[in-house]
Every structure is written in structure tokens, then in C-alpha cells.
Coordinates of all heavy atoms in Angstrom, one line a residue:
M1 N -11.8 -123.2 233.6 CA -11.3 -124.5 233.6 C -10.0 -124.5 232.9 O -9.1 -125.2 233.1 CB -12.3 -125.4 233.1 CG -13.3 -126.0 234.1 SD -14.2 -127.4 233.5 CE -15.7 -126.7 233.2
L2 N -10.1 -123.9 231.6 CA -8.9 -124.0 230.7 C -8.0 -122.8 230.8 O -7.2 -122.5 229.8 CB -9.5 -124.2 229.3 CG -10.3 -125.4 229.0 CD1 -10.8 -125.4 227.5 CD2 -9.4 -126.6 229.2
E3 N -8.1 -122.0 231.9 CA -7.3 -120.8 232.0 C -5.8 -121.1 231.8 O -5.0 -120.4 231.3 CB -7.5 -120.2 233.4 CG -8.8 -119.6 233.6 CD -9.9 -120.6 234.1 OE1 -9.5 -121.7 234.4 OE2 -11.1 -120.1 234.1
W4 N -5.4 -122.3 232.4 CA -3.9 -122.6 232.2 C -3.5 -122.8 230.8 O -2.4 -122.5 230.4 CB -3.7 -123.8 233.1 CG -4.3 -125.1 232.6 CD1 -5.6 -125.5 233.1 CD2 -3.9 -126.0 231.6 NE1 -6.0 -126.6 232.3 CE2 -5.0 -127.0 231.5 CE3 -2.7 -126.3 230.9 CZ2 -4.9 -128.0 230.6 CZ3 -2.7 -127.3 230.0 CH2 -3.7 -128.1 229.9
L5 N -4.4 -123.3 230.0 CA -4.1 -123.6 228.6 C -3.9 -122.3 227.8 O -3.1 -122.2 226.9 CB -5.2 -124.4 228.0 CG -5.1 -124.8 226.5 CD1 -3.8 -125.7 226.3 CD2 -6.3 -125.6 226.1
F6 N -4.7 -121.3 228.1 CA -4.6 -120.0 227.3 C -4.0 -119.0 228.1 O -3.8 -117.8 227.7 CB -6.1 -119.6 227.1 CG -6.9 -120.5 226.2 CD1 -7.9 -121.3 226.7 CD2 -6.5 -120.7 224.9 CE1 -8.5 -122.2 226.0 CE2 -7.2 -121.6 224.0 CZ -8.2 -122.3 224.7
G7 N -3.3 -119.2 229.3 CA -2.6 -118.2 230.1 C -3.4 -117.2 230.8 O -2.8 -116.1 231.3
G8 N -4.7 -117.4 230.9 CA -5.6 -116.4 231.6 C -5.5 -116.6 233.1 O -4.8 -117.6 233.6
V9 N -6.1 -115.8 233.8 CA -6.1 -115.8 235.2 C -7.5 -116.6 235.7 O -8.5 -116.2 235.1 CB -6.2 -114.4 235.9 CG1 -6.3 -114.4 237.3 CG2 -4.9 -113.7 235.5
K10 N -7.4 -117.5 236.6 CA -8.5 -118.1 237.2 C -9.2 -117.1 238.0 O -8.6 -116.3 238.8 CB -8.1 -119.3 238.1 CG -9.3 -120.0 238.7 CD -8.9 -121.2 239.5 CE -10.2 -121.8 240.0 NZ -9.9 -122.7 241.1
K11 N -10.5 -116.8 237.7 CA -11.3 -115.8 238.4 C -11.7 -116.2 239.7 O -11.9 -117.4 240.1 CB -12.7 -115.6 237.5 CG -12.4 -115.3 236.1 CD -11.9 -113.9 235.9 CE -11.7 -113.6 234.5 NZ -10.9 -112.5 234.1
N12 N -11.7 -115.2 240.6 CA -12.3 -115.4 241.9 C -13.7 -114.9 242.1 O -13.9 -113.7 241.7 CB -11.3 -114.6 243.0 CG -11.9 -114.7 244.4 OD1 -12.8 -113.9 244.7 ND2 -11.3 -115.6 245.1
E13 N -14.5 -115.7 242.4 CA -16.0 -115.5 242.3 C -16.4 -114.3 243.2 O -17.1 -113.4 242.8 CB -16.8 -116.6 242.8 CG -16.9 -117.8 241.7 CD -17.8 -118.9 242.2 OE1 -18.8 -118.6 242.7 OE2 -17.5 -120.1 241.7
E14 N -15.8 -114.2 244.5 CA -16.1 -113.1 245.3 C -15.7 -111.7 244.7 O -16.5 -110.8 244.8 CB -15.5 -113.3 246.7 CG -16.0 -114.5 247.5 CD -15.2 -114.7 248.7 OE1 -14.1 -115.3 248.6 OE2 -15.7 -114.3 249.8
L15 N -14.5 -111.6 244.3 CA -14.0 -110.3 243.6 C -14.8 -110.1 242.3 O -15.1 -109.0 242.1 CB -12.5 -110.4 243.4 CG -11.8 -110.5 244.7 CD1 -10.3 -110.7 244.4 CD2 -11.9 -109.3 245.5
E16 N -15.1 -111.1 241.5 CA -15.8 -110.9 240.4 C -17.3 -110.3 240.7 O -17.8 -109.4 240.0 CB -15.9 -112.1 239.5 CG -14.7 -112.6 238.9 CD -14.1 -111.6 237.9 OE1 -14.9 -111.1 237.1 OE2 -12.9 -111.3 237.9
H17 N -17.9 -110.9 241.7 CA -19.3 -110.4 242.1 C -19.2 -108.9 242.6 O -20.1 -108.2 242.2 CB -19.7 -111.3 243.2 CG -21.1 -110.9 243.7 ND1 -22.2 -111.1 243.1 CD2 -21.4 -110.4 245.0 CE1 -23.3 -110.5 243.8 NE2 -22.7 -110.2 245.0
L18 N -18.2 -108.6 243.4 CA -18.1 -107.2 243.8 C -17.8 -106.3 242.6 O -18.3 -105.1 242.7 CB -16.9 -107.1 244.8 CG -17.2 -107.8 246.3 CD1 -16.0 -107.8 247.1 CD2 -18.3 -106.9 246.9
T19 N -17.0 -106.7 241.7 CA -16.7 -105.9 240.5 C -18.1 -105.6 239.7 O -18.3 -104.5 239.4 CB -15.7 -106.5 239.6 OG1 -14.5 -106.7 240.3 CG2 -15.4 -105.7 238.4
E20 N -18.8 -106.6 239.6 CA -20.2 -106.5 238.9 C -21.1 -105.6 239.7 O -21.8 -104.7 239.0 CB -20.8 -108.0 238.9 CG -21.9 -108.1 237.9 CD -22.4 -109.6 237.8 OE1 -21.6 -110.4 237.4 OE2 -23.4 -109.9 238.3
R21 N -21.1 -105.7 241.1 CA -21.9 -104.8 241.7 C -21.5 -103.3 241.7 O -22.3 -102.4 241.4 CB -21.8 -105.1 243.3 CG -22.3 -106.5 243.7 CD -23.8 -106.8 243.4 NE -24.7 -105.8 244.1 CZ -25.4 -106.1 245.2 NH1 -25.3 -107.4 245.7 NH2 -26.2 -105.3 245.7
I22 N -20.1 -103.1 241.6 CA -19.6 -101.8 241.4 C -20.1 -101.3 240.0 O -20.5 -100.1 239.9 CB -18.1 -101.7 241.5 CG1 -17.7 -102.0 242.9 CG2 -17.5 -100.4 241.0 CD1 -16.1 -102.3 243.1
Q23 N -19.9 -102.0 239.0 CA -20.2 -101.6 237.6 C -21.8 -101.4 237.5 O -22.2 -100.4 236.9 CB -19.9 -102.7 236.7 CG -18.3 -102.8 236.4 CD -17.8 -103.8 235.6 OE1 -18.6 -104.8 235.4 NE2 -16.6 -103.8 235.2
N24 N -22.6 -102.2 238.1 CA -24.1 -102.0 238.1 C -24.5 -100.6 238.8 O -25.3 -99.9 238.3 CB -24.8 -103.1 238.8 CG -24.8 -104.4 237.9 OD1 -24.6 -104.4 236.7 ND2 -25.0 -105.5 238.5
N25 N -23.8 -100.4 239.9 CA -24.1 -99.1 240.7 C -23.6 -97.9 239.8 O -24.4 -96.9 239.9 CB -23.5 -99.2 242.0 CG -24.3 -100.1 243.0 OD1 -25.5 -99.8 243.1 ND2 -23.8 -101.1 243.4
V26 N -22.5 -98.0 239.2 CA -22.0 -96.9 238.3 C -23.0 -96.7 237.2 O -23.3 -95.6 237.0 CB -20.5 -97.2 237.8 CG1 -20.2 -96.2 236.6 CG2 -19.5 -97.1 239.0
E27 N -23.5 -97.7 236.5 CA -24.4 -97.6 235.4 C -25.6 -97.0 235.8 O -26.3 -96.3 235.1 CB -24.6 -99.0 234.8 CG -23.4 -99.5 234.0 CD -23.6 -100.9 233.6 OE1 -24.6 -101.6 233.7 OE2 -22.6 -101.5 233.1
N28 N -26.1 -97.2 237.1 CA -27.4 -96.7 237.6 C -27.1 -95.4 238.3 O -28.1 -94.9 239.0 CB -28.1 -97.7 238.5 CG -28.6 -99.0 237.7 OD1 -29.2 -98.7 236.7 ND2 -28.3 -100.1 238.1
N29 N -25.9 -95.0 238.3 CA -25.7 -93.7 239.0 C -25.8 -93.6 240.4 O -26.2 -92.6 241.1 CB -26.4 -92.4 238.3 CG -25.6 -91.1 238.6 OD1 -24.5 -91.1 238.6 ND2 -26.4 -90.1 238.6
Y30 N -25.6 -94.8 241.0 CA -25.7 -95.0 242.5 C -24.2 -94.8 243.0 O -23.6 -95.7 243.3 CB -26.2 -96.3 242.9 CG -27.6 -96.6 242.5 CD1 -28.0 -97.9 242.1 CD2 -28.5 -95.6 242.4 CE1 -29.3 -98.1 241.7 CE2 -29.9 -95.9 241.9 CZ -30.2 -97.1 241.6 OH -31.5 -97.5 241.2
K31 N -23.9 -93.5 243.3 CA -22.5 -93.2 243.6 C -22.1 -93.7 244.9 O -21.0 -94.2 245.0 CB -22.4 -91.6 243.5 CG -22.6 -91.2 242.0 CD -22.6 -89.6 241.9 CE -22.8 -89.3 240.5 NZ -22.7 -87.8 240.3
D32 N -22.9 -93.5 245.9 CA -22.5 -94.0 247.3 C -22.4 -95.4 247.3 O -21.4 -96.0 247.9 CB -23.4 -93.4 248.2 CG -23.5 -91.9 248.4 OD1 -22.5 -91.3 248.1 OD2 -24.5 -91.4 248.9
A33 N -23.2 -96.2 246.7 CA -23.3 -97.6 246.8 C -21.9 -98.2 246.0 O -21.3 -99.0 246.4 CB -24.4 -98.2 246.1
A34 N -21.6 -97.5 244.8 CA -20.5 -97.9 244.1 C -19.1 -97.7 244.9 O -18.3 -98.6 244.9 CB -20.3 -97.1 242.8
Q35 N -19.2 -96.6 245.6 CA -18.0 -96.4 246.5 C -17.9 -97.4 247.6 O -16.8 -97.8 248.1 CB -18.0 -94.9 247.0 CG -17.9 -93.8 246.0 CD -16.5 -93.7 245.4 OE1 -15.6 -94.3 245.9 NE2 -16.4 -93.1 244.2
E36 N -19.0 -97.7 248.2 CA -19.0 -98.7 249.3 C -18.6 -100.0 248.8 O -17.7 -100.7 249.5 CB -20.5 -98.8 249.8 CG -20.9 -97.6 250.7 CD -22.3 -97.7 251.1 OE1 -23.0 -98.7 251.0 OE2 -22.9 -96.6 251.5
Y37 N -19.0 -100.5 247.6 CA -18.5 -101.8 247.1 C -17.1 -101.7 246.7 O -16.4 -102.7 246.8 CB -19.4 -102.2 245.9 CG -20.7 -102.8 246.3 CD1 -21.9 -102.2 246.1 CD2 -20.7 -104.0 247.0 CE1 -23.1 -102.7 246.5 CE2 -21.8 -104.6 247.3 CZ -23.1 -104.0 247.1 OH -24.2 -104.6 247.6
L38 N -16.6 -100.5 246.3 CA -15.2 -100.4 246.1 C -14.3 -100.6 247.4 O -13.3 -101.4 247.3 CB -14.8 -99.1 245.5 CG -13.3 -98.7 245.1 CD1 -12.8 -99.6 244.1 CD2 -13.2 -97.2 244.8
V39 N -14.7 -100.1 248.5 CA -14.1 -100.3 249.7 C -14.1 -101.8 250.0 O -13.1 -102.4 250.5 CB -14.8 -99.4 250.8 CG1 -14.2 -99.9 252.3 CG2 -14.4 -98.0 250.6
E40 N -15.4 -102.4 249.9 CA -15.5 -103.8 250.2 C -14.6 -104.7 249.3 O -14.0 -105.7 249.8 CB -17.0 -104.2 250.0 CG -17.4 -105.5 250.5 CD -18.8 -105.8 250.5 OE1 -19.6 -104.9 250.5 OE2 -19.1 -107.0 250.3
Y41 N -14.5 -104.3 248.1 CA -13.6 -105.0 247.1 C -12.1 -105.0 247.5 O -11.4 -106.0 247.7 CB -13.7 -104.4 245.7 CG -12.7 -105.0 244.6 CD1 -13.3 -105.8 243.7 CD2 -11.4 -104.6 244.5 CE1 -12.5 -106.4 242.7 CE2 -10.7 -105.1 243.6 CZ -11.2 -106.0 242.6 OH -10.3 -106.6 241.7
E42 N -11.7 -103.8 248.0 CA -10.4 -103.6 248.5 C -10.1 -104.4 249.7 O -9.1 -105.1 249.8 CB -10.0 -102.1 248.7 CG -8.6 -101.8 249.0 CD -8.3 -100.3 249.1 OE1 -9.2 -99.5 249.1 OE2 -7.1 -100.0 248.9
K43 N -11.1 -104.4 250.7 CA -10.8 -105.2 251.9 C -10.9 -106.7 251.5 O -10.1 -107.5 252.0 CB -12.0 -105.0 252.9 CG -12.0 -103.6 253.5 CD -13.2 -103.4 254.4 CE -13.2 -102.1 255.0 NZ -14.3 -101.7 255.9
K44 N -11.8 -107.2 250.7 CA -11.8 -108.6 250.2 C -10.5 -109.0 249.6 O -10.0 -110.1 249.8 CB -13.0 -108.8 249.3 CG -13.2 -110.3 248.9 CD -13.1 -111.3 250.1 CE -14.5 -111.3 250.9 NZ -14.5 -112.3 251.8
L45 N -9.9 -108.2 248.7 CA -8.7 -108.4 248.0 C -7.6 -108.6 249.0 O -6.8 -109.6 249.0 CB -8.3 -107.4 247.1 CG -7.0 -107.4 246.3 CD1 -6.8 -108.8 245.5 CD2 -6.8 -106.2 245.4
E46 N -7.5 -107.8 250.0 CA -6.4 -107.8 251.1 C -6.6 -109.1 251.9 O -5.7 -109.8 252.1 CB -6.7 -106.5 252.0 CG -5.5 -106.6 253.1 CD -4.1 -106.4 252.6 OE1 -3.9 -105.8 251.5 OE2 -3.2 -106.8 253.3
E47 N -7.9 -109.4 252.2 CA -8.1 -110.6 253.0 C -7.7 -111.8 252.2 O -7.1 -112.8 252.8 CB -9.6 -110.7 253.3 CG -10.1 -111.9 254.0 CD -11.7 -112.0 254.1 OE1 -12.2 -110.9 254.5 OE2 -12.2 -113.0 253.8
L48 N -8.2 -111.9 251.0 CA -7.8 -113.2 250.2 C -6.3 -113.3 249.9 O -5.7 -114.3 249.9 CB -8.6 -113.2 248.8 CG -10.0 -113.3 248.9 CD1 -10.7 -113.0 247.5 CD2 -10.4 -114.6 249.4
T49 N -5.6 -112.0 249.8 CA -4.2 -112.1 249.6 C -3.5 -112.6 250.8 O -2.6 -113.4 250.8 CB -3.6 -110.7 249.3 OG1 -4.3 -110.2 248.0 CG2 -2.2 -110.7 249.0
Q50 N -3.9 -112.0 252.0 CA -3.2 -112.3 253.3 C -3.5 -113.8 253.6 O -2.6 -114.4 254.2 CB -3.8 -111.5 254.4 CG -3.5 -110.0 254.3 CD -1.9 -109.8 254.4 OE1 -1.3 -110.4 255.2 NE2 -1.5 -108.8 253.6
S51 N -4.5 -114.4 253.3 CA -4.9 -115.8 253.6 C -4.3 -116.8 252.6 O -4.4 -118.0 252.8 CB -6.4 -116.0 253.7 OG -7.0 -115.8 252.4
G52 N -3.7 -116.2 251.5 CA -3.0 -117.1 250.6 C -4.0 -117.8 249.6 O -3.7 -118.8 249.0
K53 N -5.3 -117.3 249.5 CA -6.1 -117.8 248.6 C -6.1 -117.4 247.1 O -6.8 -117.9 246.3 CB -7.6 -117.6 249.1 CG -7.8 -118.3 250.5 CD -9.2 -118.1 251.0 CE -9.5 -118.9 252.2 NZ -10.8 -118.6 252.7
L54 N -5.2 -116.4 246.9 CA -5.1 -115.9 245.6 C -3.5 -116.2 245.2 O -2.6 -116.0 245.9 CB -5.2 -114.4 245.4 CG -6.7 -113.9 245.7 CD1 -6.7 -112.4 245.6 CD2 -7.6 -114.5 244.7
N55 N -3.3 -116.8 243.9 CA -2.0 -116.9 243.6 C -1.4 -115.6 243.1 O -2.1 -114.6 243.0 CB -1.9 -118.1 242.5 CG -2.7 -117.7 241.2 OD1 -2.7 -116.5 240.8 ND2 -3.2 -118.7 240.6
E56 N -0.2 -115.7 242.7 CA 0.6 -114.4 242.2 C -0.1 -113.7 241.1 O -0.2 -112.5 241.1 CB 2.0 -114.6 242.0 CG 2.8 -113.4 241.8 CD 4.3 -113.6 241.7 OE1 4.8 -114.7 242.3 OE2 4.9 -112.8 241.1
K57 N -0.6 -114.5 240.1 CA -1.2 -113.9 239.0 C -2.5 -113.2 239.3 O -2.9 -112.2 238.8 CB -1.4 -115.1 237.9 CG -0.5 -115.2 236.8 CD -0.9 -116.2 235.8 CE -0.1 -116.2 234.6 NZ -0.5 -117.2 233.6
Q58 N -3.2 -113.9 240.1 CA -4.5 -113.4 240.6 C -4.4 -112.1 241.3 O -5.1 -111.1 241.2 CB -5.4 -114.3 241.5 CG -5.8 -115.6 240.7 CD -6.4 -116.6 241.6 OE1 -5.8 -117.0 242.7 NE2 -7.5 -117.1 241.3
Q59 N -3.3 -112.1 242.3 CA -3.1 -110.8 243.1 C -2.7 -109.7 242.0 O -3.3 -108.6 242.3 CB -1.9 -111.1 244.0 CG -2.2 -112.1 245.1 CD -1.0 -112.4 245.9 OE1 -0.1 -111.6 246.0 NE2 -0.9 -113.5 246.5
D60 N -1.9 -109.9 241.1 CA -1.6 -108.9 240.1 C -2.7 -108.4 239.3 O -3.0 -107.2 239.2 CB -0.4 -109.4 239.2 CG 0.9 -109.6 239.8 OD1 1.1 -109.2 240.9 OD2 1.7 -110.4 239.2
Y61 N -3.6 -109.4 238.9 CA -4.7 -109.1 238.0 C -5.7 -108.2 238.9 O -6.2 -107.1 238.4 CB -5.3 -110.3 237.6 CG -6.7 -110.1 236.9 CD1 -6.7 -109.7 235.6 CD2 -7.9 -110.3 237.5 CE1 -7.8 -109.5 234.9 CE2 -9.1 -110.2 236.8 CZ -9.1 -109.8 235.6 OH -10.2 -109.6 235.0
Y62 N -6.0 -108.7 240.1 CA -7.1 -108.0 240.9 C -6.5 -106.7 241.5 O -7.2 -105.7 241.7 CB -7.7 -109.0 241.9 CG -8.6 -109.9 241.3 CD1 -8.2 -111.3 241.3 CD2 -9.8 -109.6 240.8 CE1 -9.1 -112.2 240.7 CE2 -10.6 -110.5 240.2 CZ -10.3 -111.8 240.1 OH -11.2 -112.7 239.6
S63 N -5.2 -106.6 241.7 CA -4.6 -105.3 242.3 C -4.7 -104.3 241.1 O -5.0 -103.1 241.3 CB -3.2 -105.5 242.6 OG -3.2 -106.3 243.8
S64 N -4.4 -104.7 239.9 CA -4.4 -103.9 238.7 C -5.9 -103.3 238.5 O -6.2 -102.2 238.2 CB -3.9 -104.5 237.5 OG -4.2 -103.7 236.3
R65 N -6.9 -104.3 238.7 CA -8.2 -104.0 238.5 C -8.6 -103.0 239.5 O -9.5 -102.1 239.2 CB -9.0 -105.3 238.6 CG -10.3 -105.3 237.7 CD -10.7 -106.7 237.5 NE -11.9 -106.8 236.8 CZ -12.7 -107.8 236.7 NH1 -12.4 -108.9 237.4 NH2 -13.9 -107.7 236.1
L66 N -8.2 -103.2 240.8 CA -8.6 -102.2 241.8 C -8.1 -100.8 241.5 O -8.8 -99.9 241.7 CB -7.9 -102.7 243.2 CG -8.0 -101.8 244.4 CD1 -9.5 -101.6 244.8 CD2 -7.3 -102.3 245.5
Q67 N -6.8 -100.7 241.1 CA -6.4 -99.4 240.6 C -7.2 -98.8 239.6 O -7.5 -97.6 239.5 CB -4.9 -99.5 240.2 CG -4.0 -99.6 241.4 CD -4.2 -98.7 242.5 OE1 -4.2 -97.4 242.4 NE2 -4.3 -99.2 243.7
D68 N -7.6 -99.6 238.6 CA -8.4 -99.1 237.5 C -9.8 -98.5 238.0 O -10.3 -97.5 237.7 CB -8.7 -100.1 236.4 CG -7.6 -100.5 235.6 OD1 -6.6 -99.7 235.6 OD2 -7.5 -101.5 235.0
L69 N -10.4 -99.4 238.9 CA -11.7 -99.0 239.5 C -11.5 -97.7 240.4 O -12.4 -96.8 240.3 CB -12.2 -100.2 240.4 CG -12.7 -101.4 239.7 CD1 -13.0 -102.6 240.7 CD2 -14.0 -101.1 239.0
K70 N -10.5 -97.5 241.0 CA -10.2 -96.4 241.9 C -10.1 -95.1 241.0 O -10.7 -94.1 241.3 CB -9.0 -96.5 242.8 CG -9.2 -97.3 244.0 CD -7.9 -97.3 244.8 CE -8.1 -98.0 246.2 NZ -6.9 -97.9 247.0
N71 N -9.3 -95.3 239.9 CA -9.2 -94.2 239.0 C -10.6 -93.8 238.2 O -10.8 -92.7 238.2 CB -8.2 -94.6 237.9 CG -6.8 -94.6 238.4 OD1 -6.5 -94.0 239.4 ND2 -5.9 -95.3 237.8
N72 N -11.3 -94.8 238.0 CA -12.6 -94.5 237.3 C -13.7 -93.9 238.3 O -14.5 -93.2 237.9 CB -13.2 -95.9 236.8 CG -12.4 -96.3 235.5 OD1 -11.8 -95.6 234.9 ND2 -12.5 -97.6 235.3
L73 N -13.5 -94.3 239.6 CA -14.4 -93.8 240.5 C -14.0 -92.5 241.4 O -14.7 -92.0 242.2 CB -14.8 -94.9 241.5 CG -15.6 -96.1 241.0 CD1 -15.9 -97.1 242.0 CD2 -16.9 -95.6 240.3
K74 N -12.8 -92.0 240.9 CA -12.3 -90.9 241.6 C -13.2 -89.7 241.3 O -13.6 -89.4 240.2 CB -10.9 -90.6 241.0 CG -10.2 -89.5 241.8 CD -8.7 -89.4 241.3 CE -7.9 -88.6 242.2 NZ -6.5 -88.6 241.8
G75 N -13.7 -89.1 242.4 CA -14.6 -87.9 242.2 C -16.1 -88.4 241.8 O -16.9 -87.6 241.6
F76 N -16.4 -89.6 241.9 CA -17.7 -90.2 241.5 C -18.5 -90.4 242.9 O -18.7 -91.4 243.4 CB -17.6 -91.6 240.9 CG -19.0 -92.0 240.3 CD1 -19.5 -91.5 239.2 CD2 -19.4 -93.1 240.9 CE1 -20.6 -91.9 238.8 CE2 -20.6 -93.7 240.5 CZ -21.3 -93.1 239.4
T77 N -18.8 -89.1 243.4 CA -19.6 -89.0 244.7 C -20.6 -88.0 244.5 O -20.5 -87.0 243.7 CB -18.7 -88.8 245.9 OG1 -18.1 -87.4 245.7 CG2 -17.6 -89.8 246.1
H78 N -21.7 -88.0 245.3 CA -22.7 -87.0 245.3 C -22.1 -85.7 245.9 O -22.5 -84.6 245.4 CB -23.9 -87.4 246.1 CG -24.6 -88.5 245.4 ND1 -25.3 -88.3 244.2 CD2 -24.9 -89.8 245.7 CE1 -26.0 -89.4 243.9 NE2 -25.6 -90.3 244.7
K79 N -21.2 -85.7 246.8 CA -20.7 -84.5 247.4 C -19.9 -83.6 246.4 O -19.8 -82.5 246.5 CB -20.0 -84.7 248.7 CG -18.7 -85.5 248.6 CD -17.9 -85.6 249.8 CE -16.6 -86.3 249.6 NZ -15.7 -86.2 250.5
D80 N -19.3 -84.4 245.4 CA -18.4 -83.7 244.5 C -19.2 -83.2 243.2 O -18.7 -82.6 242.3 CB -17.4 -84.5 243.9 CG -16.3 -84.9 245.1 OD1 -16.2 -84.1 245.9 OD2 -15.7 -85.9 245.0
Q81 N -20.5 -83.7 243.2 CA -21.4 -83.3 242.0 C -21.9 -81.9 242.1 O -22.4 -81.4 243.2 CB -22.6 -84.2 242.0 CG -23.5 -84.0 240.8 CD -24.6 -85.1 240.8 OE1 -24.6 -86.0 241.7 NE2 -25.5 -85.0 239.8
K82 N -21.7 -81.1 241.1 CA -22.0 -79.7 241.0 C -23.5 -79.7 240.7 O -23.9 -80.3 239.7 CB -21.2 -78.9 240.1 CG -19.8 -78.9 240.5 CD -19.1 -77.8 239.7 CE -17.6 -77.8 240.0 NZ -17.1 -77.5 241.1
P83 N -24.4 -78.8 241.4 CA -25.7 -78.8 241.0 C -25.8 -78.2 239.5 O -25.1 -77.2 239.3 CB -26.3 -77.9 242.0 CG -25.3 -77.6 243.0 CD -24.0 -78.1 242.6
Y84 N -26.8 -78.6 238.9 CA -27.0 -78.2 237.5 C -27.6 -76.8 237.5 O -27.5 -76.1 236.4 CB -28.0 -79.1 236.7 CG -29.3 -79.2 237.2 CD1 -30.3 -78.3 236.8 CD2 -29.7 -80.2 238.2 CE1 -31.6 -78.4 237.3 CE2 -30.9 -80.2 238.7 CZ -31.9 -79.4 238.2 OH -33.2 -79.5 238.7
W85 N -28.1 -76.4 238.6 CA -28.7 -75.0 238.6 C -27.8 -73.8 239.0 O -28.2 -72.7 238.9 CB -29.9 -74.9 239.5 CG -29.6 -75.3 240.9 CD1 -29.2 -74.5 241.9 CD2 -29.7 -76.7 241.5 NE1 -28.9 -75.2 243.1 CE2 -29.2 -76.5 242.8 CE3 -30.2 -77.8 241.0 CZ2 -29.2 -77.6 243.7 CZ3 -30.1 -78.9 241.9 CH2 -29.6 -78.7 243.2
T86 N -26.5 -74.1 239.1 CA -25.6 -73.1 239.5 C -24.7 -72.7 238.3 O -24.5 -73.4 237.3 CB -24.6 -73.5 240.7 OG1 -23.9 -74.7 240.4 CG2 -25.5 -73.6 241.9

């Protein structure tokens, strides 16, 4: 509500929910699920941007967040995991 007063970005519930799902899956080591939600986050961000539902500040904020998530999840897959017994 007071985002404009403090210069913060008004949060988008859908993207915040997806970010939460990604983080929960990372914490629980659900690698495939985290990657799936990352793809869903990227699609939702594109959809909201194209439909004009995000203002410029929100677009910048969530695009930056997407890049951070991508960097953090790079190589975070079961296929890239080396078995402990080798």
C-alpha cells in the first residue's frame, strides 16, 4: 500500500507466489520442480509484461529477479548431479 511513499515496487502476487514455490523446491532439493517453476515464472513475466499489467519498475524488478534465479539454478538439475559413489 505504501510502496509509493518509500519508493518500493508494488508486488505482483502471481510472480511472488512462483518465486516462493521456486525457493521452497530449492530448499527441499526438488531440482526438477524448481526448474519447472522457473520456466513458469519466465512465461508469466512475459505474459504480464506483454499485457501491460506490470509498470516499468515492476518489469525491471522482476526481470532482475529472473536473472538472479536463473544464475542460482544454473546446473541445479538431477542430470548434472554427480553420484557420490564415483
